[in-house]
Amino acid sequence: MSKKLWSVFTDDMDHCYFTGTPYVHRHHIFYGSRRELSEKYGYVIPIASYLHEFGINSVHDNPNRGMDLQLKQMAQEHFESHHGTREDFIKIFGRSWM
Ligand SMILES: [Zn+2]
């Protein structure tokens, strides 16, 4: 069964959130062991492939800084205004990015 990825940040999963380009990867804002949590909360975002990986300063090449940090902060802000406190966020996602 294929999962339908969705995002709290956009209804358009086919264009880059930042540039509008149609050639996108769907990035899990919290990846690795927290990938499933990203899917559960909708912390998935369509971004241009070069912003996603392999490029200098792309999300996966510059972890916890730049765009990766920006996206994690966006997700944390969303969580704290829709789901719970910062403490709750840390319990679920492991740490705060604020
Ligand atoms: Zn990714």
Side-chain angles (χ1 to χ4, degrees):
M1 197 174 79
S2 74
K3 265 178 282 189
K4 178 127 175 63
L5 293 177
W6 59 283
S7 173
V8 295
F9 301 113
T10 178
D11 292 327
D12 181 358
M13 294 303 278
D14 297 318
H15 293 87
C16 175
Y17 181 79
F18 295 105
T19 68
T21 174
Y23 307 104
V24 294
H25 290 177
R26 280 100 186 229
H27 169 62
H28 289 68
I29 293 176
F30 302 99
Y31 39 90
S33 62
R34 299 196 166 84
R35 196 180 164 87
E36 299 278 318
L37 283 172
S38 289
E39 290 182 5
K40 175 180 170 189
Y41 285 94
Y43 299 151
V44 176
I45 196 153
I47 53 177
S49 55
Y50 71 92
L51 295 176
H52 186 225
E53 54 192 358
F54 308 128
I56 295 169
N57 292 327
S58 65
V59 167
H60 285 292
D61 283 75
N62 196 23
N64 296 323
R65 286 183 287 177
M67 190 177 284
D68 187 50
L69 180 60
Q70 182 188 344
L71 290 169
K72 283 169 172 164
Q73 289 178 337
M74 280 165 57
Q76 183 171 349
E77 266 170 29
H78 180 276
F79 182 95
E80 290 179 1
S81 56
H82 293 83
H83 298 295
T85 64
R86 182 154 301 177
E87 228 173 57
D88 296 330
F89 181 86
I90 292 168
K91 259 184 226 153
I92 295 169
F93 289 94
R95 56 164 281 196
S96 170
W97 276 273
M98 297 298 191

